[in-house]
Amino acid sequence: MKIKLVSDSSCDVKALPGVEFQAVPLSISTEERTFYDDENLNVSEMMDYLAHYKSRSYTACPSMADWLEAFGDAEEIYVTTMTSNLSGTYNSAVTAAQQYMEEHPGRKVFVLDTLSTSAEMLMILEKIAELKQAGCSFEEIAQQAEAYRKTTRLFFAFQSLHNFAQNGRVPKLLAKTIGVLGISIIGTASEQGTVEPISKSRGKKSVLNNLMEQLKKAGYCGGKLYVAQAEGQELAEEFVKLVKTQYPNAATKIYPVRGLCAYYAEKGGLIIGCECGKA
Ligand code: X90
């Protein structure tokens, strides 16, 4: 049986060990250029270009055809998408899944709206891979992936919300209050899958301590913790160091974001996925 895991490119990885996997690119555009968030994208070149670009920029979700192409000829497909409350990605995946199953009776596609993205979505994908390798059935995996999603959380620390505001995904007024005086915003993915600001912090130390505090409040107590960073490697390392001093056994990982998350996280942004153990 041919099995495949598929997600949109906001998962920030290109491969998953031990399973067949494909990430479907979103795109990032200005009036002059379009960047596809695929294997060939040079993320730092895109970030430099955008930092100097003064006019409007925007993003677009994958089309139904993009999803169908990624499904290929697999018989059992597990799809994760970023939150349906900020993007059309989930809807296009569902439409593709319906068409795929109609055209190929007997094949199965499970589409999970993660109501999140990035590091939390990667943790869910890894869970699905783990369940498959443990021999779970399609129905068991669907049900357990949904249950696992409820135990994970996503937090972020961003130095700017300019691109979020420009695209109408957070209020313009909120974006104006940060980015000006070296202030960072800390926030989370809400239960509805929207951006929920928590607090503002000034200075590295205060950002890191504040983040740690929020994680603990959410029930974090040393589980898996992934940090996806947008040109914020140093800050990410300091954060993981802080986590490790309190939870030496935490399974942590730091890695660079791909294009879509780079666009929204902006320079210096951190996106943190973690197991919080609460359903
Ligand atoms: O359809 C599109 O054009 C894509 C829109 C994407 C909007 C969200 C991107 C999030 C990127 C930031 C993580 C922190 C906030 C998460 C809230 C769910 C990364």
Side-chain angles (χ1 to χ4, degrees), residues 10 12 26-27 58-62 82-83 85-89 115-118 120 154-156 158 164 167 169 187-190 192-196 257 260-265 270-272:
S10 74
D12 296 319
L26 281 92
S27 65
Y58 53 95
T59 57
C61 68
M82 69 163 74
T83 171
N85 274 319
L86 292 176
S87 171
T89 300
L115 296 173
S116 185
T117 180
S118 187
E120 185 180 0
L154 189 80
F155 290 89
F156 63 82
F158 291 164
F164 264 108
N167 285 284
R169 288 180 168 97
T188 188
S190 71
Q192 296 75 37
T194 55
V195 179
E196 186 177 306
V257 289
L260 191 277
C261 289
Y263 175 77
Y264 286 100
L270 299 187
I271 310 172
I272 297 143

mmCIF file of all heavy atoms in Angstrom, residues 10 12 26-27 58-62 82-83 85-89 115-118 120 154-156 158 164 167 169 187-190 192-196 257 260-265 270-272, ligand 1:
data_model
loop_
_atom_site.group_PDB
_atom_site.id
_atom_site.type_symbol
_atom_site.label_atom_id
_atom_site.label_comp_id
_atom_site.label_asym_id
_atom_site.label_seq_id
_atom_site.Cartn_x
_atom_site.Cartn_y
_atom_site.Cartn_z
ATOM 1 N N SER A 10 4.277 25.659 5.270
ATOM 2 C CA SER A 10 4.473 26.314 6.560
ATOM 3 C C SER A 10 4.922 25.334 7.645
ATOM 4 O O SER A 10 5.137 25.725 8.784
ATOM 5 C CB SER A 10 3.205 27.062 7.002
ATOM 6 O OG SER A 10 2.208 26.161 7.435
ATOM 7 N N ASP A 12 7.748 24.052 7.479
ATOM 8 C CA ASP A 12 9.166 24.439 7.551
ATOM 9 C C ASP A 12 10.173 23.332 7.245
ATOM 10 O O ASP A 12 11.374 23.567 7.348
ATOM 11 C CB ASP A 12 9.524 25.082 8.905
ATOM 12 C CG ASP A 12 8.795 26.394 9.130
ATOM 13 O OD1 ASP A 12 8.690 27.182 8.180
ATOM 14 O OD2 ASP A 12 8.309 26.629 10.251
ATOM 15 N N LEU A 26 3.227 27.413 -0.597
ATOM 16 C CA LEU A 26 2.456 28.644 -0.735
ATOM 17 C C LEU A 26 3.330 29.595 -1.538
ATOM 18 O O LEU A 26 4.465 29.254 -1.877
ATOM 19 C CB LEU A 26 2.129 29.244 0.638
ATOM 20 C CG LEU A 26 0.962 28.555 1.363
ATOM 21 C CD1 LEU A 26 1.464 27.469 2.257
ATOM 22 C CD2 LEU A 26 0.112 29.555 2.125
ATOM 23 N N SER A 27 2.831 30.771 -1.828
ATOM 24 C CA SER A 27 3.666 31.736 -2.539
ATOM 25 C C SER A 27 3.632 33.077 -1.839
ATOM 26 O O SER A 27 2.685 33.396 -1.106
ATOM 27 C CB SER A 27 3.216 31.871 -3.986
ATOM 28 O OG SER A 27 1.918 32.428 -4.020
ATOM 29 N N TYR A 58 2.140 40.195 -0.477
ATOM 30 C CA TYR A 58 1.056 39.321 -0.014
ATOM 31 C C TYR A 58 1.427 37.851 -0.209
ATOM 32 O O TYR A 58 2.471 37.549 -0.799
ATOM 33 C CB TYR A 58 -0.264 39.661 -0.734
ATOM 34 C CG TYR A 58 -0.140 39.658 -2.238
ATOM 35 C CD1 TYR A 58 -0.475 38.533 -2.985
ATOM 36 C CD2 TYR A 58 0.334 40.779 -2.922
ATOM 37 C CE1 TYR A 58 -0.350 38.522 -4.359
ATOM 38 C CE2 TYR A 58 0.463 40.780 -4.307
ATOM 39 C CZ TYR A 58 0.123 39.644 -5.018
ATOM 40 O OH TYR A 58 0.255 39.623 -6.376
ATOM 41 N N THR A 59 0.578 36.973 0.283
ATOM 42 C CA THR A 59 0.836 35.532 0.130
ATOM 43 C C THR A 59 -0.390 34.869 -0.478
ATOM 44 O O THR A 59 -1.477 35.440 -0.469
ATOM 45 C CB THR A 59 1.113 34.868 1.495
ATOM 46 O OG1 THR A 59 -0.003 35.104 2.371
ATOM 47 C CG2 THR A 59 2.380 35.423 2.130
ATOM 48 N N ALA A 60 -0.204 33.681 -1.009
ATOM 49 C CA ALA A 60 -1.347 32.946 -1.556
ATOM 50 C C ALA A 60 -1.222 31.461 -1.233
ATOM 51 O O ALA A 60 -0.117 30.907 -1.210
ATOM 52 C CB ALA A 60 -1.448 33.149 -3.060
ATOM 53 N N CYS A 61 -2.366 30.848 -0.972
ATOM 54 C CA CYS A 61 -2.389 29.435 -0.595
ATOM 55 C C CYS A 61 -2.270 28.543 -1.831
ATOM 56 O O CYS A 61 -2.474 28.991 -2.956
ATOM 57 C CB CYS A 61 -3.665 29.134 0.191
ATOM 58 S SG CYS A 61 -5.170 29.245 -0.773
ATOM 59 N N PRO A 62 -1.947 27.274 -1.638
ATOM 60 C CA PRO A 62 -1.862 26.349 -2.774
ATOM 61 C C PRO A 62 -3.235 26.165 -3.426
ATOM 62 O O PRO A 62 -4.268 26.283 -2.764
ATOM 63 C CB PRO A 62 -1.419 25.029 -2.139
ATOM 64 C CG PRO A 62 -0.964 25.346 -0.763
ATOM 65 C CD PRO A 62 -1.658 26.599 -0.348
ATOM 66 N N MET A 82 -2.136 24.469 7.639
ATOM 67 C CA MET A 82 -2.151 25.584 8.590
ATOM 68 C C MET A 82 -3.601 25.976 8.874
ATOM 69 O O MET A 82 -4.528 25.584 8.157
ATOM 70 C CB MET A 82 -1.375 26.771 8.029
ATOM 71 C CG MET A 82 -2.058 27.430 6.861
ATOM 72 S SD MET A 82 -1.382 29.057 6.559
ATOM 73 C CE MET A 82 0.157 28.614 5.832
ATOM 74 N N THR A 83 -3.784 26.757 9.890
ATOM 75 C CA THR A 83 -5.109 27.145 10.348
ATOM 76 C C THR A 83 -6.045 27.669 9.248
ATOM 77 O O THR A 83 -5.681 28.555 8.478
ATOM 78 C CB THR A 83 -5.015 28.228 11.454
ATOM 79 O OG1 THR A 83 -6.323 28.727 11.719
ATOM 80 C CG2 THR A 83 -4.116 29.383 11.059
ATOM 81 N N ASN A 85 -8.417 29.472 9.734
ATOM 82 C CA ASN A 85 -8.909 30.804 10.077
ATOM 83 C C ASN A 85 -8.021 31.940 9.599
ATOM 84 O O ASN A 85 -8.357 33.113 9.772
ATOM 85 C CB ASN A 85 -9.172 30.918 11.580
ATOM 86 C CG ASN A 85 -10.565 30.412 11.898
ATOM 87 O OD1 ASN A 85 -11.510 30.694 11.160
ATOM 88 N ND2 ASN A 85 -10.697 29.641 12.948
ATOM 89 N N LEU A 86 -6.872 31.603 9.036
ATOM 90 C CA LEU A 86 -6.009 32.657 8.486
ATOM 91 C C LEU A 86 -5.665 32.421 7.018
ATOM 92 O O LEU A 86 -5.011 33.243 6.397
ATOM 93 C CB LEU A 86 -4.697 32.743 9.283
ATOM 94 C CG LEU A 86 -4.770 33.231 10.732
ATOM 95 C CD1 LEU A 86 -3.398 33.164 11.374
ATOM 96 C CD2 LEU A 86 -5.315 34.645 10.808
ATOM 97 N N SER A 87 -6.085 31.278 6.476
ATOM 98 C CA SER A 87 -5.656 30.936 5.114
ATOM 99 C C SER A 87 -6.669 30.031 4.433
ATOM 100 O O SER A 87 -7.386 29.275 5.094
ATOM 101 C CB SER A 87 -4.311 30.209 5.210
ATOM 102 O OG SER A 87 -3.940 29.675 3.957
ATOM 103 N N GLY A 88 -6.683 30.079 3.105
ATOM 104 C CA GLY A 88 -7.543 29.191 2.327
ATOM 105 C C GLY A 88 -6.924 27.822 2.093
ATOM 106 O O GLY A 88 -7.506 26.970 1.405
ATOM 107 N N THR A 89 -5.737 27.605 2.677
ATOM 108 C CA THR A 89 -4.994 26.358 2.463
ATOM 109 C C THR A 89 -5.824 25.111 2.812
ATOM 110 O O THR A 89 -5.852 24.140 2.058
ATOM 111 C CB THR A 89 -3.696 26.383 3.302
ATOM 112 O OG1 THR A 89 -2.917 27.499 2.875
ATOM 113 C CG2 THR A 89 -2.888 25.123 3.125
ATOM 114 N N LEU A 115 -5.275 24.278 12.976
ATOM 115 C CA LEU A 115 -5.596 25.531 13.673
ATOM 116 C C LEU A 115 -4.330 26.195 14.191
ATOM 117 O O LEU A 115 -4.335 26.942 15.164
ATOM 118 C CB LEU A 115 -6.601 25.285 14.817
ATOM 119 C CG LEU A 115 -7.968 24.782 14.371
ATOM 120 C CD1 LEU A 115 -8.837 24.413 15.563
ATOM 121 C CD2 LEU A 115 -8.689 25.817 13.503
ATOM 122 N N SER A 116 -3.223 25.879 13.550
ATOM 123 C CA SER A 116 -1.912 26.372 13.929
ATOM 124 C C SER A 116 -1.029 26.310 12.697
ATOM 125 O O SER A 116 -1.541 26.297 11.566
ATOM 126 C CB SER A 116 -1.372 25.501 15.066
ATOM 127 O OG SER A 116 -0.142 26.008 15.543
ATOM 128 N N THR A 117 0.258 26.215 12.882
ATOM 129 C CA THR A 117 1.166 26.120 11.744
ATOM 130 C C THR A 117 2.575 25.789 12.243
ATOM 131 O O THR A 117 2.752 25.452 13.412
ATOM 132 C CB THR A 117 1.147 27.451 10.933
ATOM 133 O OG1 THR A 117 2.032 27.355 9.834
ATOM 134 C CG2 THR A 117 1.565 28.627 11.774
ATOM 135 N N SER A 118 3.544 25.884 11.361
ATOM 136 C CA SER A 118 4.970 25.842 11.699
ATOM 137 C C SER A 118 5.349 24.714 12.677
ATOM 138 O O SER A 118 5.034 23.558 12.425
ATOM 139 C CB SER A 118 5.388 27.213 12.243
ATOM 140 O OG SER A 118 6.772 27.307 12.432
ATOM 141 N N GLU A 120 4.326 23.663 15.530
ATOM 142 C CA GLU A 120 3.283 22.783 16.072
ATOM 143 C C GLU A 120 2.822 21.810 14.994
ATOM 144 O O GLU A 120 2.604 20.616 15.262
ATOM 145 C CB GLU A 120 2.090 23.595 16.609
ATOM 146 C CG GLU A 120 1.056 22.690 17.293
ATOM 147 C CD GLU A 120 -0.149 23.431 17.858
ATOM 148 O OE1 GLU A 120 -0.224 24.663 17.730
ATOM 149 O OE2 GLU A 120 -1.026 22.748 18.437
ATOM 150 N N LEU A 154 1.283 26.506 20.151
ATOM 151 C CA LEU A 154 2.211 27.317 19.359
ATOM 152 C C LEU A 154 2.339 28.708 19.987
ATOM 153 O O LEU A 154 1.335 29.347 20.289
ATOM 154 C CB LEU A 154 1.701 27.477 17.922
ATOM 155 C CG LEU A 154 2.703 28.121 16.974
ATOM 156 C CD1 LEU A 154 3.733 27.086 16.517
ATOM 157 C CD2 LEU A 154 2.021 28.726 15.766
ATOM 158 N N PHE A 155 3.579 29.122 20.201
ATOM 159 C CA PHE A 155 3.847 30.474 20.702
ATOM 160 C C PHE A 155 4.782 31.173 19.732
ATOM 161 O O PHE A 155 5.457 30.534 18.936
ATOM 162 C CB PHE A 155 4.484 30.409 22.096
ATOM 163 C CG PHE A 155 3.525 29.940 23.145
ATOM 164 C CD1 PHE A 155 3.379 28.577 23.422
ATOM 165 C CD2 PHE A 155 2.736 30.844 23.844
ATOM 166 C CE1 PHE A 155 2.464 28.135 24.368
ATOM 167 C CE2 PHE A 155 1.819 30.410 24.792
ATOM 168 C CZ PHE A 155 1.686 29.052 25.054
ATOM 169 N N PHE A 156 4.836 32.490 19.812
ATOM 170 C CA PHE A 156 5.794 33.210 18.972
ATOM 171 C C PHE A 156 6.316 34.445 19.674
ATOM 172 O O PHE A 156 5.671 34.969 20.598
ATOM 173 C CB PHE A 156 5.169 33.574 17.619
ATOM 174 C CG PHE A 156 3.993 34.518 17.702
ATOM 175 C CD1 PHE A 156 4.178 35.887 17.808
ATOM 176 C CD2 PHE A 156 2.693 34.023 17.676
ATOM 177 C CE1 PHE A 156 3.095 36.750 17.891
ATOM 178 C CE2 PHE A 156 1.592 34.885 17.764
ATOM 179 C CZ PHE A 156 1.798 36.248 17.871
ATOM 180 N N PHE A 158 7.837 37.939 18.036
ATOM 181 C CA PHE A 158 8.134 38.641 16.782
ATOM 182 C C PHE A 158 8.553 40.081 17.051
ATOM 183 O O PHE A 158 8.020 40.735 17.946
ATOM 184 C CB PHE A 158 6.892 38.669 15.865
ATOM 185 C CG PHE A 158 6.517 37.330 15.300
ATOM 186 C CD1 PHE A 158 5.256 37.131 14.731
ATOM 187 C CD2 PHE A 158 7.400 36.257 15.315
ATOM 188 C CE1 PHE A 158 4.888 35.898 14.198
ATOM 189 C CE2 PHE A 158 7.042 35.016 14.778
ATOM 190 C CZ PHE A 158 5.780 34.838 14.224
ATOM 191 N N PHE A 164 1.793 40.757 8.838
ATOM 192 C CA PHE A 164 0.486 40.272 9.299
ATOM 193 C C PHE A 164 -0.571 41.365 9.131
ATOM 194 O O PHE A 164 -1.675 41.110 8.651
ATOM 195 C CB PHE A 164 0.545 39.886 10.784
ATOM 196 C CG PHE A 164 0.779 38.432 11.024
ATOM 197 C CD1 PHE A 164 2.001 37.977 11.516
ATOM 198 C CD2 PHE A 164 -0.213 37.498 10.785
ATOM 199 C CE1 PHE A 164 2.217 36.629 11.742
ATOM 200 C CE2 PHE A 164 -0.010 36.156 11.013
ATOM 201 C CZ PHE A 164 1.215 35.719 11.493
ATOM 202 N N ASN A 167 -1.597 42.322 5.570
ATOM 203 C CA ASN A 167 -2.479 41.344 4.937
ATOM 204 C C ASN A 167 -3.777 41.119 5.712
ATOM 205 O O ASN A 167 -4.450 40.111 5.521
ATOM 206 C CB ASN A 167 -1.715 40.038 4.740
ATOM 207 C CG ASN A 167 -0.730 40.156 3.590
ATOM 208 O OD1 ASN A 167 -1.113 40.125 2.433
ATOM 209 N ND2 ASN A 167 0.540 40.360 3.919
ATOM 210 N N ARG A 169 -4.375 40.250 8.751
ATOM 211 C CA ARG A 169 -4.478 39.088 9.636
ATOM 212 C C ARG A 169 -4.287 39.432 11.104
ATOM 213 O O ARG A 169 -4.478 38.592 11.968
ATOM 214 C CB ARG A 169 -3.531 37.986 9.166
ATOM 215 C CG ARG A 169 -4.064 37.356 7.878
ATOM 216 C CD ARG A 169 -3.184 36.248 7.337
ATOM 217 N NE ARG A 169 -3.881 35.521 6.295
ATOM 218 C CZ ARG A 169 -3.748 35.740 4.985
ATOM 219 N NH1 ARG A 169 -2.931 36.672 4.558
ATOM 220 N NH2 ARG A 169 -4.433 35.039 4.115
ATOM 221 N N GLY A 187 3.001 36.023 21.545
ATOM 222 C CA GLY A 187 1.618 35.638 21.326
ATOM 223 C C GLY A 187 1.497 34.148 21.109
ATOM 224 O O GLY A 187 2.479 33.401 21.202
ATOM 225 N N THR A 188 0.292 33.732 20.808
ATOM 226 C CA THR A 188 0.027 32.299 20.643
ATOM 227 C C THR A 188 -1.017 32.089 19.556
ATOM 228 O O THR A 188 -1.675 33.045 19.134
ATOM 229 C CB THR A 188 -0.450 31.701 22.001
ATOM 230 O OG1 THR A 188 -0.533 30.284 21.897
ATOM 231 C CG2 THR A 188 -1.796 32.256 22.430
ATOM 232 N N ALA A 189 -1.153 30.864 19.104
ATOM 233 C CA ALA A 189 -2.262 30.516 18.223
ATOM 234 C C ALA A 189 -3.449 30.240 19.137
ATOM 235 O O ALA A 189 -3.370 29.392 20.021
ATOM 236 C CB ALA A 189 -1.922 29.282 17.399
ATOM 237 N N SER A 190 -4.534 30.969 18.934
ATOM 238 C CA SER A 190 -5.722 30.782 19.782
ATOM 239 C C SER A 190 -6.380 29.443 19.465
ATOM 240 O O SER A 190 -6.055 28.801 18.460
ATOM 241 C CB SER A 190 -6.721 31.904 19.515
ATOM 242 O OG SER A 190 -7.295 31.715 18.235
ATOM 243 N N GLN A 192 -9.134 29.041 18.220
ATOM 244 C CA GLN A 192 -9.807 29.171 16.921
ATOM 245 C C GLN A 192 -8.808 29.246 15.764
ATOM 246 O O GLN A 192 -9.206 29.353 14.611
ATOM 247 C CB GLN A 192 -10.677 30.438 16.883
ATOM 248 C CG GLN A 192 -11.840 30.466 17.862
ATOM 249 C CD GLN A 192 -11.388 30.734 19.294
ATOM 250 O OE1 GLN A 192 -10.471 31.507 19.542
ATOM 251 N NE2 GLN A 192 -12.011 30.060 20.248
ATOM 252 N N GLY A 193 -7.520 29.236 16.098
ATOM 253 C CA GLY A 193 -6.525 29.297 15.033
ATOM 254 C C GLY A 193 -6.289 30.696 14.507
ATOM 255 O O GLY A 193 -6.035 30.887 13.313
ATOM 256 N N THR A 194 -6.382 31.671 15.400
ATOM 257 C CA THR A 194 -6.054 33.044 15.014
ATOM 258 C C THR A 194 -4.861 33.514 15.845
ATOM 259 O O THR A 194 -4.450 32.831 16.788
ATOM 260 C CB THR A 194 -7.249 33.987 15.264
ATOM 261 O OG1 THR A 194 -7.639 33.844 16.633
ATOM 262 C CG2 THR A 194 -8.425 33.642 14.373
ATOM 263 N N VAL A 195 -4.333 34.677 15.486
ATOM 264 C CA VAL A 195 -3.192 35.235 16.225
ATOM 265 C C VAL A 195 -3.707 35.877 17.505
ATOM 266 O O VAL A 195 -4.529 36.786 17.457
ATOM 267 C CB VAL A 195 -2.464 36.309 15.385
ATOM 268 C CG1 VAL A 195 -1.298 36.896 16.167
ATOM 269 C CG2 VAL A 195 -1.987 35.719 14.069
ATOM 270 N N GLU A 196 -3.223 35.382 18.640
ATOM 271 C CA GLU A 196 -3.654 35.953 19.908
ATOM 272 C C GLU A 196 -2.456 36.604 20.593
ATOM 273 O O GLU A 196 -1.582 35.915 21.107
ATOM 274 C CB GLU A 196 -4.223 34.829 20.789
ATOM 275 C CG GLU A 196 -4.826 35.309 22.073
ATOM 276 C CD GLU A 196 -5.445 34.142 22.863
ATOM 277 O OE1 GLU A 196 -6.281 33.411 22.297
ATOM 278 O OE2 GLU A 196 -5.046 33.965 24.017
ATOM 279 N N VAL A 257 13.106 28.575 9.491
ATOM 280 C CA VAL A 257 11.804 28.549 8.825
ATOM 281 C C VAL A 257 12.014 28.517 7.315
ATOM 282 O O VAL A 257 13.061 28.913 6.819
ATOM 283 C CB VAL A 257 10.962 29.811 9.161
ATOM 284 C CG1 VAL A 257 10.485 29.803 10.583
ATOM 285 C CG2 VAL A 257 11.745 31.086 8.842
ATOM 286 N N LEU A 260 7.251 30.814 3.731
ATOM 287 C CA LEU A 260 5.981 31.382 4.181
ATOM 288 C C LEU A 260 6.093 31.901 5.605
ATOM 289 O O LEU A 260 5.707 33.031 5.908
ATOM 290 C CB LEU A 260 4.860 30.320 4.053
ATOM 291 C CG LEU A 260 3.399 30.735 4.228
ATOM 292 C CD1 LEU A 260 2.970 30.802 5.680
ATOM 293 C CD2 LEU A 260 3.050 32.033 3.499
ATOM 294 N N CYS A 261 6.651 31.060 6.480
ATOM 295 C CA CYS A 261 6.796 31.499 7.872
ATOM 296 C C CYS A 261 7.806 32.630 7.992
ATOM 297 O O CYS A 261 7.640 33.511 8.832
ATOM 298 C CB CYS A 261 7.162 30.327 8.781
ATOM 299 S SG CYS A 261 5.776 29.188 9.003
ATOM 300 N N ALA A 262 8.843 32.629 7.144
ATOM 301 C CA ALA A 262 9.820 33.724 7.166
ATOM 302 C C ALA A 262 9.128 35.049 6.864
ATOM 303 O O ALA A 262 9.409 36.069 7.493
ATOM 304 C CB ALA A 262 10.927 33.475 6.150
ATOM 305 N N TYR A 263 8.207 34.998 5.905
ATOM 306 C CA TYR A 263 7.490 36.223 5.521
ATOM 307 C C TYR A 263 6.701 36.795 6.707
ATOM 308 O O TYR A 263 6.732 37.987 6.977
ATOM 309 C CB TYR A 263 6.554 35.929 4.345
ATOM 310 C CG TYR A 263 5.682 37.098 3.956
ATOM 311 C CD1 TYR A 263 6.208 38.161 3.227
ATOM 312 C CD2 TYR A 263 4.340 37.141 4.323
ATOM 313 C CE1 TYR A 263 5.417 39.241 2.883
ATOM 314 C CE2 TYR A 263 3.538 38.218 3.983
ATOM 315 C CZ TYR A 263 4.075 39.269 3.265
ATOM 316 O OH TYR A 263 3.283 40.342 2.932
ATOM 317 N N TYR A 264 6.000 35.937 7.432
ATOM 318 C CA TYR A 264 5.172 36.426 8.537
ATOM 319 C C TYR A 264 5.954 36.624 9.839
ATOM 320 O O TYR A 264 5.647 37.521 10.625
ATOM 321 C CB TYR A 264 3.965 35.506 8.757
ATOM 322 C CG TYR A 264 2.915 35.687 7.689
ATOM 323 C CD1 TYR A 264 2.808 34.809 6.614
ATOM 324 C CD2 TYR A 264 2.044 36.781 7.729
ATOM 325 C CE1 TYR A 264 1.859 34.998 5.615
ATOM 326 C CE2 TYR A 264 1.090 36.975 6.741
ATOM 327 C CZ TYR A 264 0.998 36.085 5.680
ATOM 328 O OH TYR A 264 0.063 36.280 4.693
ATOM 329 N N ALA A 265 6.946 35.780 10.094
ATOM 330 C CA ALA A 265 7.711 35.914 11.347
ATOM 331 C C ALA A 265 8.652 37.117 11.254
ATOM 332 O O ALA A 265 8.978 37.722 12.273
ATOM 333 C CB ALA A 265 8.502 34.644 11.617
ATOM 334 N N LEU A 270 10.793 34.169 16.295
ATOM 335 C CA LEU A 270 10.842 32.773 16.757
ATOM 336 C C LEU A 270 9.437 32.211 16.801
ATOM 337 O O LEU A 270 8.505 32.886 17.256
ATOM 338 C CB LEU A 270 11.401 32.670 18.180
ATOM 339 C CG LEU A 270 12.814 33.156 18.494
ATOM 340 C CD1 LEU A 270 13.160 32.779 19.929
ATOM 341 C CD2 LEU A 270 13.826 32.593 17.522
ATOM 342 N N ILE A 271 9.279 30.961 16.357
ATOM 343 C CA ILE A 271 7.991 30.272 16.455
ATOM 344 C C ILE A 271 8.241 28.986 17.233
ATOM 345 O O ILE A 271 9.117 28.192 16.865
ATOM 346 C CB ILE A 271 7.408 29.947 15.066
ATOM 347 C CG1 ILE A 271 7.418 31.196 14.160
ATOM 348 C CG2 ILE A 271 5.986 29.413 15.201
ATOM 349 C CD1 ILE A 271 7.032 30.913 12.719
ATOM 350 N N ILE A 272 7.502 28.807 18.296
ATOM 351 C CA ILE A 272 7.763 27.686 19.192
ATOM 352 C C ILE A 272 6.577 26.739 19.276
ATOM 353 O O ILE A 272 5.456 27.157 19.578
ATOM 354 C CB ILE A 272 8.093 28.226 20.606
ATOM 355 C CG1 ILE A 272 9.383 29.051 20.524
ATOM 356 C CG2 ILE A 272 8.253 27.105 21.627
ATOM 357 C CD1 ILE A 272 9.367 30.239 21.419
HETATM 358 O O1 X90 B 1 -3.212 31.850 2.571
HETATM 359 C C1 X90 B 1 -2.223 32.549 2.751
HETATM 360 O O2 X90 B 1 -1.911 33.465 1.984
HETATM 361 C C2 X90 B 1 -1.317 32.269 3.918
HETATM 362 C C3 X90 B 1 -1.672 33.017 5.142
HETATM 363 C C4 X90 B 1 -0.855 32.615 6.333
HETATM 364 C C5 X90 B 1 -1.149 33.338 7.590
HETATM 365 C C6 X90 B 1 -0.511 32.782 8.809
HETATM 366 C C7 X90 B 1 0.945 32.491 8.702
HETATM 367 C C8 X90 B 1 1.621 32.189 9.989
HETATM 368 C C9 X90 B 1 3.109 32.067 9.859
HETATM 369 C C10 X90 B 1 3.414 32.688 12.261
HETATM 370 C C11 X90 B 1 3.027 31.878 13.419
HETATM 371 C C12 X90 B 1 2.351 32.588 14.545
HETATM 372 C C13 X90 B 1 0.859 32.810 14.473
HETATM 373 C C14 X90 B 1 0.028 31.577 14.348
HETATM 374 C C15 X90 B 1 -1.433 31.753 14.463
HETATM 375 C C16 X90 B 1 -2.214 30.533 14.080
HETATM 376 C C17 X90 B 1 3.870 31.915 11.091
#
